[in-house]
Structure formats: structure tokens, C-alpha cells
Amino acid sequence: MAAFNHVKNMYDVSLKPRLLRTLIKEDLPDETHPFRNPAGLSTVVSMIKTHGLLSESSFGESTNQRQIENWKSAVDSWVERLDLLVSHAMPDKCWAGICLLGVTCQECSSDRFLASYDGWFHKLLPFIQSPADSHFVKVASCASLSDMFTRLGGFPSQKKDGTSHVVKLIQPVLKLLNYDSSEAIWEGAVQLICTAITYFPSSIHRHYESASHYDSMEAAIASKLLSGKCSADMLKKLAHCLALLPKSRGDEDSWSLMMQKILLLINAHLNDTFQGLEEDVAETTRNEAGRLLVPPGKDPPPPLGGHTSPGEVSDNPTRRSERLLISSVSTLMLCCCTMLTSPYPVQVNVPIQSLLVLVKRVLMVDGSLPHALLPFMTSMQQELICSELPVLHSYSLELLSAVIKGTRSQLLPHAASIVRLITSYFKRCALPELRIKVYSITRILLISMGVGVAIYLAQEVINNAFVDLHQVSGCTTSSVNSKASSEALLQPSHRKRKHVTTTGYLEEQHDRGGLQVEAPKNHSISPISVRVAALEALEALFTVGGALRSESWRSNVDLLLINTATSSLEGKWASEEKHSFQPNEPTSIWVDFQLAALRALLASLLSSVHVRPPYLAQGLELFRRGKQETGTKLAEFCAHALLALEVLIHPRALPLMGSCPATCNSFEGVNHKLSENMYSGSLKHSGPFASGIQGIKDNIPNSDDDDLYDSWLENGKETDALDSVPCKSMRYDEDPSEAVGVSGEENLYVDNSSGATIPEKRGQKLAASGVDGMKGNNDEIMVEAGRFEENVARVEEPVSSKDATAPASIEGSWAQG
């Protein structure tokens, strides 16, 4: 009847021991059954992690003791089978047991791990110490021990015991690095060293100080790193391990000494590699780098890993140059990046100037030869260096990015040097990968250092963005700088709008000395990844400096962004310019480009503070179209953008908390005559203010937001005179005080009220004068409305108590809108 002993569901505790016993029986080998399918271990591991078969921790209140004992018994059987496999003479079965023992260290309960890890450690240690074991058994042993110490590092009470265990591993692991020839074993040994440094740093500290440089950890890692025999992936792991090594001491001097050793070795390699390629300016930079790394009067530190010169790496100068570029300089720069961006126990002083000089030295070399040195270098040598320079430039830019990320406040005195370096390199950088990195560095610098840097980087960012995006948006030099392009928003042809004159002012400032934007006609189409990076840099520029000194470039960049966003959503390239997709770019990057274009457009719209964004209507339409792509990242962002733009669509003057009077919770406190005069006249307008007042008057929470949107798209009509106040026909350039007729009652002059006069006794004429004083311009209504409320507050005391309730009620009802 056991065949019909069903469980409740997949969460039943009694299911877990059944599944575990099935795995032991069907998927694990034993003494008699061979190991049929090594690839099947992945299925076993997946089953254990998915159902938590070794956790022994899913007991609820309804779990009886019999189920607990049954699960414990199943885990005991699992551990016994692994002990049998680890001790087996067959390498394949031993390998399987070691691999599953590492998984068991991760997945078993805390009580079982603390009771068993010591025995497991002594089972695995001989496989690392013995040189006779197979390579894949050693690799599996290193991986399982790394899993064990990672789990053990989470128990503070076991730090002392864990340190004593790690000490026993140091010498065997160093032997694997120094004397073994398998890169897989090197990788396992380096991973084990990194785990030991991270969780038990004091275990490395003893050997770090006492051992000779050949047997020490630094010498072993540096020798392998500089050997030129490792793959690119292995070099990254060695660089990461070398960067973690100062943590074993945890003091500032150890970190500074390691950084100085690495920078000195980089500089020595560059001296050998760039011989004959550096001009006079670069020669000065080289001398400056040596002077900064070893100040006059001080002795240089001992060489990294005992290597006194780059020549010890190889005897062939040509091959040595190649290895220096790939396996030495680039890897050592990556090591510096890790040291700058990884957490350290104490605060350290970063040699920022030395780092910047080395970065500048590399970026200034482009492979060209001075005329006087042409006879001293063969074309083959030049070709070899030019073929590797992009990689070296890439790592130099990574180092510059790490300096910006890791130094924080220490970077401020060096900001000008970084800005000059980025500006000069942007002009010479043409490879897509390098341009992406420069855009990324610019974005990080803008966000971290704010508007002070944005003022000086704005021109370079905009010029390069136009180069990379001009074929996307369809903008050319003539269209960008033309007045017609600046007035792309649909406007009434027979009306003078305030933002038209504002655009003219921007163009005038641009002609007087603003940013000169040029998009070369013959520039090749940039890859989509470069366009995404350019848009992200523009987004950061708008976020940081879009509201300060942006008049000279604002109109051109706004036009570029609205055209780019429109093209990205319309799929214009996919249908008309299929050649714009690069063969090595996945089509999924198109979504990234759409998001980047819309993010930059949103930053542009939100950062416009002096005038209404000229392309707000088109932007709203794009975001509404994007929101319809249900279930995509595009729709998610467009919904967020529409919410963020709500303050521009329906601006409102909300009161401060606690400042609203008691009558502001309803419209009942509003003076009937005042509201009648104010609303009856203003609702006849077709502008956005009218729709907003209508929503406030009716107090309808879900009023139609499209009225405002439609009013911006339509051609519009001439503004009619307000019915509540008799006045003559008013020109837009006419002073409001001359057009508005005021009764013969005594008037009060209000400062900063644009010439508006306020009757002392009549609330009706007070509202009429305030509304008509807005110069008949829908764009100025928002600003004038705020002034009107301020003026009301100033004259509240002189007005009689009978009529004084009207202005206060207006402010409260406005807040409710």
C-alpha cells in the first residue's frame, strides 16, 4: 500500500525525504554501480536547491516528530553516500562526491554544518596537498573548500577555528600556483585565496609578512600575472586577487604600498612600450609620472613580486611589447580599478594625480610617429602597437572611471584636469567602444560633481551627441540652427505668443557666442550602443545643468531630442534605413535606445524652468503612445513620465502644511460674486488655464485632462474680453493698466503687480483686475496667477472685513484644484 501513500501537495514536508531518497537511489553511484552520466549532476543539484531537500528547516506547527525524523534520516543517508564517494579510488566517483559535498556545505542546515565541517575539511585537504591526484579532482576540491569557507565565514563564533583551517591551506595553494601547469587549477587556487582573504584575512597576514618573496602570496600572484601564459579571463581573476591582498593587513600603508608598486610597474612597462612614440608633450608627461610616483629624496619601494624589470618576463623585445600591452599594463590597470572601487577597512589617500598622469600618458599616444623617429622603428613594430592601442585606451578609460567612482570628495581639486582630459580625448576618439566609455565617464562626472562641471562639459557633450545622433533625428547643421526648426511646435499663425519671442532670444544668444553645433554630412552612422550612451550623457546634462546657463544650446538640443524620440518610436530606421543596424548588434538593443531617448526627452521637459517646454505636446503624445505597449519596460517608463509631467500639465499652488484656513476644504467659503466674475469670464478662453479653472470650479476629481492637451495643439482663437469687466480691445504689447477700466472708487497700488489696481471695497473688481492683468497670454497666466495670490495677501489687511474673505477663499479653493 506504500504506492498509494500520497502527499498533500508539493509543499508537504513528507515529500522532501522521498525526493532525496529517490535521488540517492537513482542518480548517485555507489560501490557496485558505475557513474553513468556525469552531466546528470546538474539535475541533482537543481533538484536539491529548488526543493531545499537538505535544509531540514521547513517544519511547521503541524509537523509531527515522525516526519522530522524521517527527513533527518534521509539527509544522513545522503551524507553517508557522499563520504563513500569522496573516499572512492575511482577518480570520477571521487570527483562527483567532492562536487556534491560543496553543494551540501551550502544547502544543509546550520546545525549539521557546524557539526560536520571539520570532518569534511580533513577529507578534502589531502586532495590539494597530494601532487598525484588528477587535475579535475583538485579543481573540485578547491571549489568545495571555497564553498565551505564562504559558509563558515557567516558564523562569527567560528572565526578562530576557520582561521586555523585556512592557515593549513596556504602552502598547498601556493604550490598549485607556482608549480602546476593547468590554468583550471590556477583558477581554483585563486578563487580559494580570494575567499580566504575575504572571510579570514588574518590567516593570510602571517604568510604575507614572513615568507620570502618567491613563496609569498604576492610573488606567486604577480609571477603568474606577468608570465604572459594566462588567458584574458584568468588575468582578470589574478588582478582581482592581487587587489584584495592588502586587506589581509587592513591598514593604509599596505594599500598605498601596493598601489605604488603597481603604478611604478605600469610606468616602467610604458617606458619600454612607448619608446619612440611619445612626442615632446608626452615626454613631459612621462617625466612627471616618474617624479610623482617616487618623490625626490625618497627611495622607491621594492618591486612588485620581486620582478626588477619588464625584461624578466620575456627575452624577445617584440613579443615582450605585445605581452606588456595585453597581459601586463592592461591587467595592472584593472587591478588598480578593483583597489579603487572595492571597500577597504580603513580610509586611504588615493594618489589621484599619479593615476591621472598615467591615464593621460596612455590616451595621448595614438600610434603616430614623429618625423625624426621614423628611421628607428619598423612598420611591423608600429602595426603591432597600433593593433593593441585600443585595448590599452579602453583600460585607461576604465581606470579613469574608477578614479571618479572611488575617490569621491578627494576628486574635487583635480576636477579641472579631468575635464581637460575628457575634452581633448573626445575630439580624437573615433572607435565606438571608446566613445561609449567616454560618454559613460562624462555621465558619471556630471552626476557626481554637479552643475559646476556641467558648465564646462556641456559644449563637448552636445557637439559629440549631435555627431552621433544627427542621422537619427534627421537634424543637420542648417535645420538645427534655423528659426523654423526652433518653432516646430504648432502655433497660431496670427497670434503673438510669449515663447516665440523667448525662442528668438535664445537664437540671438546662440548667434552671439553660444554653442556652435555642427553635424558633419559625411559622418558614418554610429552604432546603436553609441547613440544610447550619447542620450544617457544628454540626460545627465539636463538633469544637472538644464536649468542653468542653458539658453545658448537649449533650443537646438530640445529639437534634437524630440526628433530622436519620435524616430525611435516610429521604427523609422527599421523600415527605411535598415543599414543602420550593425551586424554584431542584437535587435533587443533597440528597446534600450527607445528608453534612452525617452529618458533624455523627459529630463529635457522637466528641466525647463523659465518657459513652458516648446515640445511638451509632442512629448506627451509620445509617452501616451509608449504607454500602450503593455507589459514592456517602455510602457512602464512612459507611465512614470506622464506622472512626472503632471505638474506641467496641471500646475497648482498647493498650500504649505498647516497654512490652509479652515474653509479650504470645500468651495462653500468662496464668495459667490467673486467666483462668478472670475470663472464666467475665464472659462470662455481656450487656453490651458481655462480648463484648469473649470476642473477647480466643478470639483470633479477625474476631469478631462485632454482639454489642455487639445488646446495646445489647435491653432487657437483670439482672446475675447472678459464679460465681468467692461474693457476696450487690448493689444498684447499694451500695458494692462491702460486697457482695463476701473471704477471711480479709491484704488490701492500694489508692488510687483504689473500695474494692476485693486479697488478698496469691491471683491468683484479685484478679481477682474487680477485676471485682466495677465496680459492676455495663456503662457503667462500661470506666473501671473501666483503674483495675483501674493498681491491678495499683501492687501488683505487694508481691505474691509466684509470683502476680505474673498481672497482667502480663492487661495484655499485654488489649493484644492
Side-chain angles (χ1 to χ4, degrees):
M1 300 298 294
F4 298 96
N5 188 12
H6 302 292
V7 297
K8 295 180 181 179
N9 49 45
M10 65 178 180
Y11 305 108
D12 193 351
V13 175
S14 60
L15 175 64
K16 300 181 184 297
R18 294 187 186 183
L19 293 177
L20 188 57
R21 285 193 171 93
T22 301
L23 290 178
I24 296 173
K25 181 180 179 181
E26 298 182 358
D27 295 291
L28 293 188
D30 55 18
E31 291 183 349
T32 58
H33 297 84
F35 194 21
R36 292 170 294 183
N37 184 17
L41 283 184
S42 60
T43 304
V44 176
V45 174
S46 177
M47 185 72 70
I48 290 174
K49 292 184 176 182
T50 301
H51 293 276
L53 301 183
L54 303 177
S55 61
E56 303 179 72
S57 61
S58 301
F59 305 125
E61 297 180 356
S62 59
T63 305
N64 55 43
Q65 188 64 28
R66 182 179 179 182
Q67 291 176 326
I68 296 176
E69 293 296 333
N70 189 23
W71 194 359
K72 183 178 181 299
S73 175
V75 178
D76 290 339
S77 301
W78 169 269
V79 174
E80 292 174 0
R81 179 62 63 87
L82 294 187
D83 291 340
L84 179 64
L85 293 176
V86 171
S87 305
H88 205 281
M90 297 294 293
D92 56 344
K93 293 183 180 181
C94 181
W95 171 81
I98 293 173
C99 292
L100 293 176
L101 188 58
V103 176
T104 304
C105 291
Q106 294 177 326
E107 297 295 322
C108 69
S109 64
S110 299
D111 294 338
R112 184 177 292 273
F113 175 77
L114 293 176
S116 307
Y117 78 87
D118 184 71
W120 294 341
F121 171 78
H122 287 93
K123 284 183 177 294
L124 296 175
L125 182 60
F127 297 109
I128 295 180
Q129 295 174 331
S130 174
D133 290 301
S134 61
H135 286 178
F136 60 90
V137 170
K138 290 182 180 180
V139 173
S141 300
C142 290
S144 295
L145 284 171
S146 181
D147 293 336
M148 178 186 298
F149 288 118
T150 300
R151 179 76 182 274
L152 189 61
F155 297 95
S157 60
Q158 304 298 319
K159 287 290 184 181
K160 183 177 180 180
D161 196 22
T163 300
S164 64
H165 282 72
V166 173
V167 169
K168 300 175 184 178
L169 286 174
I170 299 302
Q171 290 300 330
V173 171
L174 289 178
K175 289 182 180 179
L176 293 179
L177 283 177
N178 290 326
Y179 304 114
D180 210 297
S181 59
S182 173
E183 186 171 301
I185 293 180
W186 297 345
E187 184 175 349
V190 167
Q191 179 61 38
L192 186 54
I193 292 173
C194 292
T195 303
I197 295 175
T198 302
Y199 295 101
F200 305 98
S202 59
S203 62
I204 309 294
H205 178 59
R206 183 185 311 172
H207 288 271
Y208 188 90
E209 289 184 334
S210 61
S212 63
H213 63 272
Y214 288 106
D215 297 328
S216 67
M217 199 72 68
E218 177 186 327
I221 298 172
S223 299
K224 201 62 62 180
L225 187 147
L226 299 172
S227 65
K229 301 177 182 179
C230 302
S231 64
D233 186 62
M234 187 67 220
L235 286 175
K236 292 180 180 179
K237 290 180 170 61
L238 289 168
H240 178 73
C241 187
L242 185 63
L244 291 181
L245 201 55
K247 285 188 176 181
S248 62
R249 293 179 175 177
D251 59 345
E252 181 181 357
D253 292 339
S254 300
W255 191 95
S256 300
L257 181 62
M258 178 63 72
M259 178 63 74
Q260 188 181 16
K261 288 181 179 180
I262 294 174
L263 294 182
L264 281 172
L265 188 56
I266 291 176
N267 194 53
H269 284 348
L270 292 179
N271 290 340
D272 192 20
T273 304
F274 290 162
Q275 186 175 5
L277 292 173
E278 294 178 303
E279 298 180 357
D280 295 338
V281 178
E283 188 76 16
T284 304
T285 304
R286 182 181 68 177
N287 297 332
E288 182 184 1
R291 186 173 59 255
L292 290 172
L293 292 173
V294 183
K298 292 188 177 181
D299 297 330
L304 180 68
H307 293 279
T308 58
S309 67
E312 293 185 4
V313 179
S314 177
D315 295 331
N316 189 323
T318 304
R319 300 301 299 172
R320 186 174 74 242
S321 298
E322 180 182 358
R323 291 192 177 116
L324 287 174
L325 286 170
I326 299 176
S327 64
S328 298
V329 179
S330 302
T331 307
L332 291 172
M333 285 185 174
L334 182 61
C335 182
C336 292
C337 294
T338 306
M339 293 181 66
L340 290 169
T341 55
S342 299
Y344 196 70
V346 297
Q347 186 175 359
V348 297
N349 291 322
V350 180
I352 301 177
Q353 191 172 359
S354 301
L355 290 165
L356 294 180
V357 169
L358 284 179
V359 171
K360 180 181 179 181
R361 182 182 178 186
V362 174
L363 296 182
M364 289 177 66
V365 175
D366 58 1
S368 59
L369 289 175
H371 183 73
L373 297 177
L374 288 177
F376 300 97
M377 179 174 288
T378 64
S379 60
M380 182 178 297
Q381 290 175 318
Q382 185 184 22
E383 290 174 5
L384 178 62
I385 294 176
C386 290
S387 65
E388 301 298 336
L389 271 179
V391 177
L392 196 57
H393 279 212
S394 178
Y395 278 100
S396 299
L397 293 174
E398 289 287 349
L399 181 56
L400 178 59
S401 177
V403 170
I404 298 173
K405 293 177 182 178
T407 54
R408 300 180 182 178
S409 59
Q410 298 182 33
L411 187 65
L412 188 58
H414 308 276
S417 301
I418 297 178
V419 170
R420 287 193 295 267
L421 180 60
I422 293 175
T423 303
S424 62
Y425 188 70
F426 235 145
K427 293 180 174 64
R428 296 180 285 109
C429 179
L431 296 179
E433 179 185 357
L434 301 181
R435 290 188 67 83
I436 292 174
K437 290 184 181 295
V438 178
Y439 275 125
S440 176
I441 291 172
T442 305
R443 178 175 176 271
I444 296 171
L445 191 63
L446 287 170
I447 295 176
S448 62
M449 305 207 69
V451 68
V453 170
I455 295 175
Y456 298 99
L457 281 178
Q459 178 170 354
E460 205 62 39
V461 172
I462 293 170
N463 288 346
N464 283 276
F466 267 94
V467 170
D468 292 318
L469 296 173
H470 74 284
Q471 294 191 6
V472 177
S473 61
C475 295
T476 60
T477 305
S478 58
S479 65
V480 167
N481 295 321
S482 65
K483 186 173 182 178
S485 298
S486 300
E487 299 173 1
L489 182 62
L490 296 177
Q491 301 292 348
S493 58
H494 58 283
R495 298 179 61 184
K496 291 184 179 180
R497 301 301 298 269
K498 188 68 176 179
H499 58 269
V500 174
T501 59
T502 304
T503 306
Y505 169 76
L506 298 182
E507 293 175 353
E508 179 182 354
Q509 295 298 318
H510 182 274
D511 295 336
R512 288 180 179 179
L515 302 184
Q516 300 299 324
V517 179
E518 294 186 2
K521 297 180 180 180
N522 298 326
H523 180 70
S524 60
I525 297 178
S526 300
I528 302 180
S529 55
V530 177
R531 301 167 194 168
V532 171
L535 289 168
E536 290 175 348
L538 285 178
E539 179 190 3
L541 179 62
F542 273 109
T543 303
V544 173
L548 182 64
R549 295 187 182 180
S550 60
E551 293 85 358
S552 58
W553 51 265
R554 187 63 190 243
S555 58
N556 295 334
V557 182
D558 285 341
L559 176 61
L560 174 71
L561 291 179
I562 190 65
N563 289 337
T564 303
T566 303
S567 300
S568 68
L569 288 183
E570 289 178 352
K572 178 179 177 181
W573 295 342
S575 59
E576 299 178 11
E577 299 178 10
K578 295 182 180 180
H579 60 280
S580 65
F581 286 102
Q582 303 298 325
N584 57 345
E585 288 181 332
T587 55
S588 59
I589 200 174
W590 184 261
V591 179
D592 297 334
F593 174 74
Q594 290 177 325
L595 286 173
L598 293 178
R599 288 181 184 277
L601 178 61
L602 178 61
S604 171
L605 297 177
L606 292 178
S607 62
S608 180
V609 295
H610 301 296
V611 294
R612 191 186 71 196
Y615 307 108
L616 179 59
Q618 290 93 324
L620 289 172
E621 177 62 23
L622 291 178
F623 290 128
R624 288 178 177 176
R625 287 169 52 190
K627 188 179 178 182
Q628 297 174 0
E629 303 292 330
T630 307
T632 62
K633 292 182 180 180
L634 184 66
E636 182 180 352
F637 173 75
C638 288
H640 163 73
L642 290 173
L643 177 62
L645 291 173
E646 179 68 19
V647 296
L648 296 180
I649 304 173
H650 299 112
R652 61 195 75 176
L654 299 177
L656 296 176
M657 183 178 297
S659 63
C660 182
T663 58
C664 69
N665 292 328
S666 65
F667 280 84
E668 296 178 358
V670 181
N671 184 279
H672 177 71
K673 294 182 180 181
L674 180 60
S675 61
E676 180 180 0
N677 287 334
M678 185 172 184
Y679 294 137
S680 62
S682 60
L683 288 179
K684 293 186 178 182
H685 298 292
S686 61
F689 189 63
S691 62
I693 293 179
Q694 181 65 46
I696 295 175
K697 181 183 177 184
D698 297 340
N699 197 21
I700 300 176
N702 52 352
S703 59
D704 189 8
D705 294 343
D706 291 338
D707 293 342
L708 175 60
Y709 172 70
D710 295 335
S711 67
W712 285 339
L713 291 181
E714 67 183 4
N715 289 330
K717 299 178 180 180
E718 283 293 327
T719 305
D720 298 330
L722 296 177
D723 294 342
S724 58
V725 180
C727 63
K728 63 182 179 180
S729 178
M730 184 175 65
R731 299 188 306 272
Y732 289 102
D733 57 349
E734 190 174 1
D735 188 79
S737 61
E738 299 176 5
V740 180
V742 183
S743 63
E745 299 185 14
E746 185 179 357
N747 297 327
L748 295 176
Y749 177 80
V750 183
D751 294 334
N752 301 325
S753 59
S754 301
T757 56
I758 303 178
E760 184 179 6
K761 297 183 179 180
R762 295 190 180 182
Q764 297 93 326
K765 294 186 181 292
L766 175 67
S769 176
V771 174
D772 284 345
M774 297 173 189
K775 302 181 181 181
N777 188 350
N778 287 340
D779 293 326
E780 293 292 328
I781 287 177
M782 313 299 181
V783 179
E784 294 297 336
R787 293 179 180 176
F788 169 65
E789 294 175 5
E790 181 181 356
N791 297 336
V792 169
R794 293 186 180 184
V795 302
E796 212 168 354
E797 293 184 1
V799 180
S800 61
S801 59
K802 178 179 179 181
D803 297 326
T805 58
S809 300
I810 290 176
E811 184 176 359
S813 60
W814 186 278
Q816 290 294 322

